[in-house]
Each structure stands twice: as C-alpha cells, then as structure tokens.
C-alpha cells in the first residue's frame, strides 16, 4: 500500500534544505567579507557609541550632577534604563534554558541570537551601575572582598547589593551557556577555515572538539545542567531587581506584586527585542528558511500572553491601592493616571496592554511588517512602564512643598544613547564573526521538523479509518 505524506505540524526548516545546505548558509556570513550594508550599519552604531562615550566620560569627569536629578526625584532616567536593559536580557535565557528542558524544537533557530542579546543587554545594564558609582574605578567596592580599609563591607541589607550578585551570576551563567552551545559550530568553522589565522583562532575557541560520541554525550549533559542552573535565574534576577522598589516604604513601590509583575514584563520586552533582531538578521543574511514565519508567530503568541499578564498586573495594582484604604497609596496611582506625567502612563497602557492584543489576529501575527512595528512599540511601552513606576512615585512626596518635576538633561540622554551604540556594535560583531544560528541543533531536528524529511503516514491494516506514523 502506498505511503501518504501528511504534515503533522508546520516545518521549522523550509526550502528542502540538506545538512550541507545548513552549514553553507550559516557559515557564509562568517567566512565571507563584510557586506556593504553591514559596514554602513556598523559605522552608524560605532558613531552612536562614540557620541555616547563622550557623554559617559563627562558623567564621570564632572559628576552625577549633570543628570536631571533633584532633591525629590533621586532616581529617574538612569535606573529606568538599567531595569529596561535587564528586562530585555530575559528572553535569551528563557529560550535557551526553559524551552530546552521542555524540548521545544522551535527554539533551535533562534536561541543563539537570543543568548547573545541577553549577554549584550546585561553588559548595557551593568554600564549604568558603573555610571551610577560616580567613580567607575572604585566599582569593585560593590563586591564583598577582603580589603585593607578595616571593616569596610557592603551593606548586605541593601537590594542594590543584591543586584550586583544577581546580575553578575546571570551574566556568568549566560556566557557559559552561550559559549558551550557555540563549541560544535566553532569546530565546524575551524575545519572549513582556509587561512592559518582563522584556523588557529576558531580552533582555540573550539577547545579540541572532535565530534565523537563521548564528546556529544558530554555536550548534552552540560547543556542540561546549565539549563537547570539557568532556569531559576530567569525568575530570580528580575525578582531581585524588583526588590529595589518593593522593599521600600514609598507609596507606589511597596507592593508584593512586583516580583511576578517584573518577571512577566521582562519576558514580554525580551521577546519583543528578539523579534526585532531576528527579523533584521533574517533579512540581512537571507535566513528565511531557518527563521520562518512559524518562529515569528510562536514568539508573538508568547508576547500576547505575557502582555496580557502585565495588563492584569496594572489592574491589580489599582485594586490593591483602592482596597488598602491607605490614602497615600491611592493618591500615588491616581497621580500616575491623571497627574503631570499622565501622558507617560497612558503611553505605557497603550503600548503594553492595547497594542499586543492585535496579535490575536492571525494575519497580523504572521506579518513581518506588523511584527517588527509592534515589537518596537512594546519596547517603547516597557521603557515608559519603568519610567512611570520610578518617577511618578517619587516626584510628589508627602509634603507638597517638596514636589518637583524631572526632566532629562543631554547627559542623561547621551548615557542612554551610549548603551544603544554599545549593544548594536557588539551584536553586529557577533553576527559577522560567529554563527548566528545553532547549526548543530538545527541539524538535530531536521528529520522531524524539515520539509526535506516529512512525516510519512499510512493507513492501518487493522482499523481502516485511522493512520499511524512510521
């Protein structure tokens, strides 16, 4: 009896690609010369980084008085940007660790770029810690190490110290996870390298990978162990960042909903940034057969879910304030919606709650243009969320005479621009000199998730109405 091909689920690798095609398509941008478009974008990013570097240098040279802070609003633009970048870094570990443990095959084409994005976003977030230190060369004082200054130790009761531990741990594990996944692909590039310099550099990075059975077994073990270590970090890092506010007694901050609320928001903004970056990489390196519409749609579904969770958190905040009976807490939230910063609050609500609901429409969810535009809108909204939480809770104190407004200075804006330049310079270097898609893992799911190897089903001889999979 003849076999009948039936698609159980949409393929994750299209175009009838073979194993050799995957190697050629992914290695092409690593082995070839930089394209004109890459050079232009890299030049623009480098220029942005240079302008931002001047701003950061001036911050350190002349002091934090260059920021728009005042006696009432002691935290504003800087901590907003810090929390925003940490949030963006969440999607990479979620895709790498949690989806690996759940055996989600669609992660294989997107995990490499998402992991790189995580590392670069955390570096950008850490730069604000260095800026805030005022004297960056003394930033190591945040670390509890033995010293010659007597009993000079950090305040372990401070959530800001917890941030240092959380960010450094998250960065270390993310780097390890990212590099461990790169090793098989680095060995592939090493074996294909034509120049002695390339062969030496990639050979050094590949750490003697030989591809035998024992090596692959150890690679799988390490991946699972790192995934197990990373999974709690996905939840703990932004939880600890939320403690910067939740452990205070300031109305608008003192709430127990912050940890899950911050984690959901971080995944929300992280997936939006992953979408933006992957759509650019997909078009620039012609990887449409590996980063398919199915990948984009799946991530848009996650954005819809997490955006809905964030919307519920916004409503819950108002309910808690109203139910508490504390007039100061109630005023803090009324002030957010109707006070001087009402425009920021409603921009946040529009971008984070209303806009993602468009993804319920299948045509929009599968549209490249709509996806890119809405992902940008989501990240704008998440920036406004952090700004609203921080500034509107501070700018009107208990005493009306101390009320003040915050306006960013050019140095504030320049420091933020610096992190954008740094992020895109690092990501462009990664995309050029390292494989942007995990070749080894994509090949591993080829037989079950490719157009070249479709499922084959045939009628059962025992029950004529049913089909079984071979």
């Amino acid at each position: 009896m003849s076999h009948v091909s039936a698609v159980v689920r949409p393929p994750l690798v299209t175009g009838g690609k073979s194993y050799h095609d995957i190697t050629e398509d992914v290695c092409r941008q690593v082995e070839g010369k930089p394209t004109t478009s890459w050079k232009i974008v890299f030049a623009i990013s480098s220029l942005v980084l240079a302008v931002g570097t001047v701003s950061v240098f001036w911050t350190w040279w002349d002091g934090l008085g260059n920021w728009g802070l005042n006696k009432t609003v002691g935290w504003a633009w800087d901590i907003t940007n810090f929390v925003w970048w940490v949030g963006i870094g969440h999607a990479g570990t979620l895709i790498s660790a949690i989806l690996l443990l759940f055996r989600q095959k669609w992660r294989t084409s997107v995990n490499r770029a998402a992991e790189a994005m995580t590392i670069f976003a955390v570096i950008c977030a850490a730069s604000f810690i260095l800026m805030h230190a005022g004297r960056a060369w003394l930033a190591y004082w945040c670390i509890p190490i033995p010293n010659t200054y007597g009993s000079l130790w950090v305040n372990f009761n401070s959530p800001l110290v917890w941030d240092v531990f959380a960010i450094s741990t998250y960065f270390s594990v993310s780097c390890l996870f990212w590099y461990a996944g790169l090793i098989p692909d680095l060995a592939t590039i090493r074996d294909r390298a034509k120049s002695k310099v390339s062969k030496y550099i990639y050979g050094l990075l590949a750490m003697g990978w030989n591809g035998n059975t024992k090596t692959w077994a150890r690679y799988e073990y390490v991946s699972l162990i790192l995934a197990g270590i990373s999974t709690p970090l996905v939840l703990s890092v932004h939880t600890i960042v939320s403690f910067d506010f939740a452990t205070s007694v300031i109305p608008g901050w003192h709430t127990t909903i912050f940890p899950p609320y911050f984690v959901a928001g971080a995944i929300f903004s992280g997936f939006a940034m992953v979408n933006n970056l992957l759509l650019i990489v997909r078009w620039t390196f012609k990887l449409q057969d590996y980063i398919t519409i199915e990948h984009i749609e799946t991530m848009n579904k996650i954005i819809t879910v997490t955006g809905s969770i964030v919307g519920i958190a916004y409503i819950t905040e108002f309910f808690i304030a109203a139910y508490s009976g504390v007039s100061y807490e109630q005023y803090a939230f009324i002030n957010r919606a109707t006070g001087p910063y009402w425009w920021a609050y409603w921009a946040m609500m529009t971008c984070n709650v209303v806009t993602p609901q468009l993804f319920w429409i299948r045509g929009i969810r599968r549209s490249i243009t709509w996806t890119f535009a809405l992902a940008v809108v989501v990240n704008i909204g998440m920036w406004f969320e952090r700004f609203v939480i921080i500034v509107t809770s501070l700018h009107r104190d208990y005493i009306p005479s101390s009320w003040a407004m915050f306006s960013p200075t050019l140095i504030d804006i320049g420091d933020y621009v610096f992190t954008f330049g740094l992020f895109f310079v690092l990501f462009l270097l990664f995309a050029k000199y390292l494989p942007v898609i995990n070749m080894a893992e994509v090949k591993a799911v080829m037989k079950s998730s490719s157009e070249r190897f479709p499922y084959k089903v045939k009628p059962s001889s025992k029950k004529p109405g049913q089909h079984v999979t071979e």
Side-chain angles (χ1 to χ4, degrees):
M1 188 173 290
S2 61
H3 290 74
V4 180
S5 294
V7 178
V8 177
R9 59 178 62 88
L12 298 176
V13 180
T14 59
K17 299 293 184 179
S18 65
Y19 295 115
H20 177 69
D21 291 334
I22 294 174
T23 304
E24 290 294 329
D25 291 344
V26 176
C27 291
R28 186 185 300 120
Q29 97 275 356
V30 178
E31 297 169 343
K33 293 182 179 180
T35 62
T36 303
S37 58
W38 186 92
K39 290 178 181 177
I40 293 172
V41 177
F42 186 77
I44 295 172
S45 300
S46 300
L47 179 62
V48 171
L49 177 61
V51 172
T53 301
V54 173
S55 179
V56 173
F57 175 79
W58 192 254
T59 300
W60 285 335
W61 181 263
D62 207 35
L64 300 186
N66 288 294
W67 289 351
L69 306 177
N70 52 59
K71 62 183 178 62
T72 303
V73 185
W75 269 2
W77 194 273
D78 50 323
I79 198 75
T80 297
N81 298 333
F82 166 76
V83 178
W84 187 75
W85 277 116
V86 173
I88 282 176
H90 257 58
T93 308
L94 178 75
I95 292 173
S96 302
I98 295 179
L99 297 184
L100 172 63
L101 295 178
F102 281 99
R103 300 299 184 185
Q104 296 295 303
K105 295 178 181 179
W106 66 269
R107 59 175 282 283
T108 55
S109 293
V110 302
N111 64 342
R112 177 70 53 74
E115 290 166 12
M117 181 201 74
T118 291
I119 294 169
F120 304 148
V122 171
I123 291 173
C124 291
S127 68
F128 280 101
I129 297 177
L130 296 178
M131 292 179 208
H132 217 133
R135 301 176 181 179
W137 51 93
L138 298 179
Y140 70 93
W141 283 10
C142 295
I143 305 171
I145 56 176
N147 55 76
T148 58
Y149 299 101
S151 300
L152 182 63
W153 298 100
V154 296
N155 180 10
F156 289 101
N157 293 323
S158 170
L160 297 178
V161 175
W162 307 346
D163 277 347
V164 173
F165 285 97
I167 297 298
S168 59
T169 304
Y170 188 55
F171 179 74
S172 302
V173 174
S174 296
C175 285
L176 195 57
F177 207 166
W178 178 65
Y179 180 67
L182 270 169
I183 291 175
D185 290 354
L186 291 172
T188 300
I189 298 173
R190 172 201 64 193
D191 296 339
R192 292 167 53 93
K194 296 178 181 179
S195 70
K196 291 184 178 179
V197 175
S198 297
K199 187 176 287 291
Y200 176 77
I201 292 174
Y202 287 112
L204 192 66
L205 294 173
M207 299 179 68
W209 176 275
N210 56 18
N212 63 27
T213 305
K214 182 179 287 188
T215 305
W216 277 110
R218 288 174 176 168
Y219 172 80
E220 295 290 339
Y221 294 153
V222 169
S223 296
L224 288 174
I225 290 170
L226 288 175
I229 295 172
S230 301
T231 298
L233 288 176
V234 175
L235 304 176
S236 68
V237 172
H238 224 58
T239 295
I240 292 173
V241 170
S242 75
F243 288 169
D244 291 354
F245 314 103
T247 55
S248 72
V249 294
I250 295 175
W253 288 3
H254 188 62
T255 174
T256 55
I257 198 177
F258 267 14
Y261 165 21
F262 269 54
V263 170
I267 296 171
F268 181 51
S269 60
F271 267 92
M273 182 63 87
V274 170
N275 258 347
N276 283 140
L277 294 176
L278 285 179
L279 289 176
I280 295 171
V281 167
R282 180 180 189 266
W283 175 75
T284 305
F285 295 138
K286 298 178 173 59
L287 298 173
Q288 289 87 346
D289 290 323
Y290 305 100
I291 304 171
T292 67
I293 297 298
E294 301 305 323
H295 292 94
I296 304 301
E297 183 179 17
T298 303
M299 287 191 285
N300 285 338
K301 289 177 180 177
I302 295 175
I303 289 173
T304 306
V305 171
T306 51
S308 301
I309 294 172
V310 168
I312 292 171
Y314 293 159
I315 297 169
T316 305
E317 278 189 312
F318 266 89
F319 172 77
I320 291 172
Y323 192 72
S324 68
V326 179
S327 58
Y328 301 109
E329 192 78 20
Q330 292 168 353
Y331 177 77
F333 285 92
I334 293 172
N335 181 54
R336 284 184 185 180
T338 62
Y341 289 108
W342 64 269
W343 51 271
Y345 177 82
W346 290 109
M348 172 193 80
M349 293 295 287
T350 303
C351 295
N352 293 347
V353 180
V354 179
T355 304
Q357 303 311 313
L358 293 173
F359 282 136
W360 286 103
I361 303 171
R362 188 172 187 270
I364 292 178
R365 197 168 62 236
R366 296 175 67 86
S367 166
I368 299 299
T369 305
W370 274 102
T371 294
F372 189 88
L374 292 180
V376 171
V377 168
V378 164
N379 270 313
I380 292 172
M382 288 307 296
W383 188 92
F384 273 114
E385 180 201 282
R386 279 60 181 257
F387 180 83
V388 166
I389 289 173
I390 294 163
V391 175
T392 62
S393 299
L394 292 175
H395 85 110
R396 288 192 167 176
D397 208 340
Y398 293 99
I399 305 174
S401 62
S402 68
W403 290 2
M405 296 292 288
F406 167 80
S407 297
T409 64
L410 285 177
I411 301 298
D412 276 310
I413 298 170
D415 289 346
Y416 189 37
V417 166
F418 165 80
T419 57
F420 271 101
L422 178 62
F423 179 84
F424 283 105
V425 164
L426 292 174
F427 192 84
L428 286 166
L429 290 173
F430 152 74
K432 175 63 189 77
Y433 294 105
L434 293 172
V436 75
I437 285 180
N438 194 324
M439 293 184 284
E441 293 196 359
V442 171
K443 290 176 183 178
V445 301
M446 276 281 284
K447 287 191 176 181
S448 61
S449 306
S450 170
E451 286 182 346
R452 190 179 180 89
F453 303 99
Y455 282 101
K456 291 182 179 180
V457 298
K458 65 179 180 180
S460 172
S461 58
K462 294 183 179 180
K463 296 180 180 181
Q466 300 177 346
H467 290 77
V468 295
T469 304
E470 274 193 349

